[in-house]
């Protein structure tokens, strides 16, 4: 598959993941707040690197960084997946969701953003699985055309 198609498929999943996340946290009190976790991580990195990020730019930079990182992650899942792109990308999404729930506490981030209760955990995993599924479906559609 061409690199451009791989990146478009990855971007599709990343955009759906981000849009779903933004919608969920407006509708449900228990929704994951990966945006706040991202801001926390970015602030920590900027403090370590002695870089000043204006607080009014923090959210937008975090959102853009999430989209870029998730695009590359899902594109990696698409690359070399062949006819099994939907299954492979969905599995990558599942792995990312489980990691999003259980890994933050091990890297010094507030785990409650993704692990507050069962609903939060399931939504966290679900949005990453959805992003993976979309990436795989887009890749599959490119292969058929």
């Amino acid at each position: 598959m061409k690199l451009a198609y791989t990146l478009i498929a990855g971007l599709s999943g990343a955009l759906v993941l981000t849009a779903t996340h933004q919608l969920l946290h407006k509708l449900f009190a228990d929704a994951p707040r990966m945006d706040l976790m991202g801001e926390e991580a970015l602030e920590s990195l900027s403090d370590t690197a002695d870089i000043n990020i204006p607080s009014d730019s923090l959210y937008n930079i975090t959102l853009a960084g999430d989209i870029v990182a998730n695009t590359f992650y899902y594109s990696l899942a698409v690359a070399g997946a062949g006819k099994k792109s939907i299954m492979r990308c969905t599995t990558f999404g599942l792995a990312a969701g489980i990691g999003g729930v259980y890994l933050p506490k091990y890297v010094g981030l507030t785990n409650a953003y993704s692990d507050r209760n069962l609903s939060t955990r399931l939504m966290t995993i679900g949005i990453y699985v959805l992003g993976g599924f979309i990436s795989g479906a887009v890749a599959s559609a490119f292969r058929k055309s």
Side-chain angles (χ1 to χ4, degrees):
M1 177 177 272
K2 293 182 181 179
L3 178 61
Y5 292 158
T6 301
L7 290 172
I8 290 168
L11 177 62
S12 299
L15 291 175
V16 167
L17 179 156
T18 301
T20 303
H21 173 257
Q22 295 301 310
L23 180 65
L24 285 176
H25 86 74
K26 291 184 186 322
L27 296 176
F28 302 103
D30 287 341
R33 293 303 308 261
M34 304 308 277
D35 54 329
L36 297 179
M37 187 184 298
E39 287 181 13
E40 181 182 25
L42 185 57
E43 284 178 322
S44 176
L45 287 172
S46 67
D47 288 347
T48 301
D50 199 28
I51 298 170
N52 183 25
I53 298 176
S55 58
D56 60 338
S57 300
L58 192 60
Y59 177 78
N60 291 331
I61 293 170
T62 300
L63 202 61
D66 283 345
I67 291 170
V68 169
N70 287 317
T71 295
F72 285 118
Y73 180 76
Y74 288 131
S75 294
L76 177 65
V78 169
K83 294 180 181 179
K84 297 182 180 183
S85 60
I86 293 176
M87 180 58 80
R88 180 178 163 123
C89 292
T90 301
T91 303
F92 267 58
L94 178 62
I98 292 170
V101 170
Y102 293 105
L103 293 179
K105 63 184 167 195
Y106 297 108
V107 294
L109 298 174
T110 304
N111 210 48
Y113 293 135
S114 62
D115 191 23
R116 191 168 36 259
N117 56 41
L118 181 60
S119 288
T120 308
R121 289 189 290 274
L122 290 174
M123 283 188 263
T124 299
I125 293 168
I127 60 176
Y128 284 96
V129 167
L130 177 63
F133 175 79
I134 295 298
S135 292
V138 170
S140 182
F142 280 138
R143 278 191 187 84
K144 289 178 183 174
S145 61

